[in-house]
Amino acid sequence: MSTRYPFTAVVGMDDLRLALLLNAVSPAVGGVLVRGEKGTAKSTAVRALAELLPVVPVVAGCRFSCDPASPDPGCPDGPHEAGPGAERPARMVELPVGASEDRLVGSLDIEKALAEGVKAFEPGLLADAHRGILYVDEVNLLHDHLIDLLLDAAAMGFSHVEREGVSVRHAARFLLVGTMNPEEGELRPQLLDRFGLTVEVAASRDPEQRVEVVRRRLAFEDDPAAFAARWAGEEAALRGRIVAARALLPQVVLGDAELLQIAATCAAFEVDGMRADIVMARTATALAAWAGRTGVTSEDVRQAALLALPHRRRRSPFDAPGLDEDKLDETLEQFKGEDPEPDGPDDGGPGDGGPGDGGPGGGGPDGGGIPPQGDGPAPEDVPVPEEAPVPEPAPQKAEAGAGSGERAAVKAAEPFRTKVLSVPGLGEGAAGRRSRARTEHGRTTGSVRPRGALTKLHLAATVQAAAPHQKARGRTGRGLVVRRDDLRQATREGREGNLVLFAVDASGSMAARQRMSAVKGAVLSLLLDAYQRRDKVGLVTFRGRDAEVALPPTSSVDAAAARLEQLPTGGRTPLSAGLLKAHDVLRVERLRDPSRRPLLVVVTDGRATGGRAAGDPVALAARAARLHAAEGTASVVVDCETGPVRLGLAGQLARELGGTAVTLDELRADSIAGLVRDVQAGQAGQARHAAQATRRAA
């Protein structure tokens, strides 16, 4: 077994360490979501926590880690008799991003269930993590249906597996810890709310702290066992403190004054629902127990708010998590009662010189050492995101003789709900909410012979395949004799996420402030729609003499919105350059992820006034558009042309692309034009039905 980096040797990151320790003291807090840039020791700190948890008493031979003092009466391996049992270390189970549903919740042997009526259940990761830690690295990249299953189990404390009428239920109580890099995309707000606490981590900019991080990491890599031995005393002390805090937790009293502060704080920050109040109450209670007190103070409430509320106060997907501490202090002061006198030793949190600080007063292996105010060691196992790094936007310069000069970026208009833009046909991409696709979840459309392990049984097709062979197989009783060749896998149709690539015209013809504000508002609305439908997005802009990739394809819609906000305008309209740049981006993405189908959204008025390439700008743009059409790329042109006289150039571009054109007004889901078209379509359908009925009657 490999030696893990000691938790007490992690430099700095006091909030992260405190949040993890509070969950170790009180798993009811609900887990931790760790947000931060790559290489900030998120994974190292989480993995190190498992070594601090007390040993777990289990029923010998039980695959579901039942507690011998109170075994689960519904355990699939039960029933168990109460007894002394055995002990094992607390587990930390990692859930891979590409895991299947059966790997997470477990699977049933369908063939045995049908033929023999035997519940042959193979436990999944939720069973392995029971009474331990379930760690999800890059949780924001996990498929939505897996996140739903995971968080439901975390909330209910058990996992329920259903397969065609055969069901298994087992306990699944664990400390849920997720890490994510916000640059790779956000979690949905309702899923953010299911994590009890959240912390932000970032690399230190202090050279001395960075030196200490590197020094400790190199020492660990040179001799892991010796390095861990140096910190063994600190680890043992912190482990003992966790045990003591767990024992004290039932005695902690949350007074009415502090409870009022919690409710007032959640109301002041307009947090949805009541989960935030409950999590804050549990966190404040755990903080008191961690400090060795039996009474909760206002400072405990304040610290609980800083950990439990930032990710819950987001009012839109583009709002960054955070909390106004001045407003928090004002609210707490307004509803402040009399704090109880401390009635026990207060050793402080991980940043107060208590066990685990590894700094002065922490009794580190070197008798002090550098205070842990920087970031922890940069682990070598932090995964690099598959998307290309987001480049800083290049400085824009006005060009002489390039039409109107550069103009400063304008603010986007208020976003609105857009019409659903989708890719035609049936895809097989990653699960999402945009275009039709063959998926593991959705409505059943047919059946096929399984090519691997059977996961979704098509019962009717299986019975139909087995029925003709019953006499030949010697069937005598009521049971159906089923063989492997009879089994049929259900094929299902759901929705997939797409790559939505925006090609935005930022030329002088788009530079009128009111007009560009409306254009940015429309693109922002489409980005919001892409966020909700779990798409990847990219942004290409063209102006002056060339085009650039403002944002390579990524899952971070927030990054796309930020790039859009900074977009200046001015110069000529190199439409062909923008289309060719988009073609290059899509060509590379097809190699990276062939199953993810693209949707090209060109935002322009259709004018083409030259660029670096010689020749007729309109003809060059048409030729570039036909490249996309030849490859079957689904495309939509958002026509930004305004005024009483319209040239219809955007419509011509859409025809060359083989796509459709919509105006800014038509893009709105509740637009009058869309309503008129819907009414006209309905009236036309009624007229056709009436005519058919008349012909039949005649």
Side-chain angles (χ1 to χ4, degrees):
M1 182 177 177
S2 60
T3 303
R4 285 180 176 151
Y5 195 94
F7 187 85
T8 50
V10 174
V11 179
M13 298 199 300
D14 293 343
D15 286 345
L16 171 57
R17 292 192 295 159
L18 178 60
L20 292 172
L21 290 170
L22 291 177
N23 274 272
V25 171
S26 175
V29 166
V32 186
L33 176 64
V34 187
R35 298 164 46 92
E37 57 197 28
K38 53 187 178 291
T40 49
K42 302 187 297 292
S43 302
T44 295
V46 174
R47 292 189 176 100
L49 178 68
E51 300 295 325
L52 296 176
L53 298 182
V55 295
V56 179
V58 296
V59 173
C62 178
R63 298 174 298 167
F64 301 89
S65 302
C66 281
D67 187 346
S70 56
D72 181 7
C75 176
D77 284 355
H80 304 299
E81 294 184 2
E87 290 186 343
R88 64 161 176 77
R91 291 175 181 158
M92 193 196 74
V93 177
E94 295 193 42
L95 174 62
V97 169
S100 65
E101 178 181 338
D102 286 344
R103 184 72 186 97
L104 176 63
V105 301
S107 59
L108 291 169
D109 189 327
I110 301 296
E111 188 172 358
K112 284 187 178 181
L114 285 175
E116 305 173 24
V118 176
K119 292 184 181 180
F121 181 69
E122 184 65 28
L125 295 177
L126 292 180
D128 293 342
H130 180 46
R131 304 176 68 197
I133 300 174
L134 183 60
Y135 172 49
V136 189
D137 197 9
E138 307 294 347
V139 64
N140 52 324
L141 302 182
L142 202 64
H143 287 171
D144 283 356
H145 71 280
L146 292 182
I147 294 178
D148 292 339
L149 291 170
L150 179 66
L151 295 179
D152 283 345
M156 295 185 294
F158 64 85
S159 175
H160 203 167
V161 185
E162 290 280 356
R163 291 291 186 275
E164 302 296 342
V166 181
S167 64
V168 172
R169 179 183 181 276
H170 65 84
R173 292 183 295 276
F174 47 81
L175 167 56
L176 177 63
V177 181
T179 60
M180 59 175 285
N181 182 351
E183 291 181 357
E184 298 168 358
E186 284 285 358
L187 282 172
R188 303 198 309 266
Q190 61 268 38
L191 299 182
L192 280 171
D193 185 53
R194 299 297 287 272
F195 282 94
L197 309 180
T198 186
V199 291
E200 297 274 345
V201 295
S204 171
R205 299 296 182 257
D206 185 339
E208 291 186 3
Q209 295 171 7
R210 297 175 76 97
V211 165
E212 183 63 13
V213 170
V214 175
R215 181 182 292 124
R216 294 187 185 184
R217 188 67 200 188
L218 293 179
F220 174 74
E221 292 175 351
D222 288 343
D223 192 343
F227 185 84
R230 290 174 56 199
W231 292 88
E234 290 295 298
E235 294 282 290
L238 193 56
R239 190 178 298 111
R241 187 173 174 185
I242 292 173
V243 173
R246 281 187 173 187
L248 182 62
L249 185 65
Q251 305 172 35
V252 176
V253 176
L254 178 62
D256 290 343
E258 288 70 36
L259 194 55
L260 179 60
Q261 283 186 317
I262 290 172
T265 301
C266 292
F269 285 97
E270 301 180 2
V271 177
D272 294 333
M274 295 298 298
R275 184 174 285 117
D277 304 61
I278 296 171
V279 171
M280 275 189 65
R282 290 172 174 166
T283 305
T285 303
L287 280 163
W290 178 247
R293 290 184 271 100
T294 57
V296 175
T297 67
S298 293
E299 185 56 33
D300 294 332
V301 175
R302 185 181 191 279
Q303 184 66 57
L306 293 174
L307 293 172
L309 294 187
H311 60 304
R312 292 185 166 91
R313 61 150 295 276
R314 292 177 56 156
R315 308 312 299 174
S316 79
F318 303 134
D319 289 340
L323 212 61
D324 184 343
E325 294 194 32
D326 291 337
K327 181 178 179 180
L328 173 61
D329 291 336
E330 290 175 5
T331 304
L332 293 176
E333 185 64 30
Q334 181 181 355
F335 292 89
K336 185 176 181 180
E338 293 296 327
D339 283 344
E341 291 294 327
D343 52 6
D346 188 348
D347 295 321
D352 301 326
D357 274 2
D366 299 322
I370 294 179
Q373 298 172 349
D375 289 287
E380 69 277 7
D381 57 347
V382 173
V384 177
E386 62 173 288
E387 290 91 0
V390 178
E392 291 298 322
Q396 307 287 344
K397 297 180 181 179
E399 296 180 299
S404 57
E406 178 179 306
R407 305 189 184 185
V410 299
K411 187 176 178 61
E414 193 69 23
F416 51 85
R417 188 166 64 91
T418 65
K419 290 185 180 299
V420 180
L421 307 178
S422 60
V423 178
L426 193 64
E428 295 182 347
R433 297 182 176 181
R434 183 171 296 280
S435 304
R436 294 173 55 220
R438 298 183 184 91
T439 61
E440 292 185 359
H441 296 268
R443 63 186 183 89
T444 300
T445 58
S447 64
V448 295
R449 290 179 181 269
R451 288 179 288 183
L454 181 69
T455 56
K456 301 291 183 183
L457 178 73
H458 195 297
L459 184 59
T462 299
V463 172
Q464 186 176 5
H469 309 290
Q470 296 306 294
K471 185 175 181 180
R473 293 173 183 174
R475 173 186 169 187
T476 57
R478 297 177 60 186
L480 189 68
V481 182
V482 179
R483 301 283 170 81
R484 174 69 186 176
D485 290 343
D486 300 328
L487 299 179
R488 295 293 182 268
Q489 175 88 14
T491 57
R492 304 193 176 208
E493 182 179 311
R495 295 281 170 175
E496 67 177 358
N498 298 110
L499 166 58
V500 182
L501 181 63
F502 294 91
V504 180
D505 184 350
S507 64
S509 64
M510 304 278 288
R513 293 189 65 85
Q514 186 175 0
R515 182 179 182 187
M516 197 61 201
S517 176
V519 169
K520 284 189 176 183
V523 178
L524 191 64
S525 303
L526 291 168
L527 285 172
L528 180 60
D529 182 67
Y531 168 84
Q532 295 168 340
R533 299 185 186 280
R534 312 303 289 169
D535 296 315
K536 289 179 68 174
V537 296
L539 180 62
V540 171
T541 63
F542 51 96
R543 57 183 292 276
R545 297 176 60 83
D546 212 343
E548 66 171 353
V549 180
L551 183 75
T554 174
S555 297
S556 177
V557 178
D558 292 5
R563 291 290 189 271
L564 178 71
E565 195 69 26
Q566 301 164 5
L567 180 65
T569 58
R572 295 183 183 274
T573 311
L575 179 56
S576 61
L579 295 173
L580 290 175
K581 182 68 72 174
H583 182 268
D584 290 341
V585 171
L586 294 179
R587 176 179 55 81
V588 173
E589 287 302 310
R590 284 190 180 96
L591 296 175
R592 284 183 177 176
D593 190 356
S595 63
R596 188 181 287 269
R597 297 188 296 164
L599 174 64
L600 176 63
V601 180
V602 184
V603 185
T604 181
D605 56 8
R607 290 181 172 84
T609 57
R612 296 189 184 277
D616 180 10
V618 176
L620 291 173
R623 186 183 305 170
R626 288 193 289 272
L627 283 177
H628 290 279
E631 295 185 354
T633 302
S635 58
V636 175
V637 178
V638 179
D639 185 358
C640 303
E641 192 173 28
T642 58
V645 179
R646 302 197 179 202
L647 302 178
L649 299 176
Q652 295 178 22
L653 176 63
R655 288 189 289 275
E656 295 287 359
L657 286 167
T660 58
V662 296
T663 65
L664 289 175
D665 288 337
E666 292 171 340
L667 192 61
R668 293 178 178 270
D670 54 353
S671 66
I672 298 299
L675 179 62
V676 170
R677 281 201 305 273
D678 292 342
V679 171
Q680 290 174 340
Q683 292 174 341
Q686 292 174 0
R688 285 195 300 272
H689 290 313
Q692 292 171 358
T694 301
R695 286 195 295 271
R696 285 195 298 268

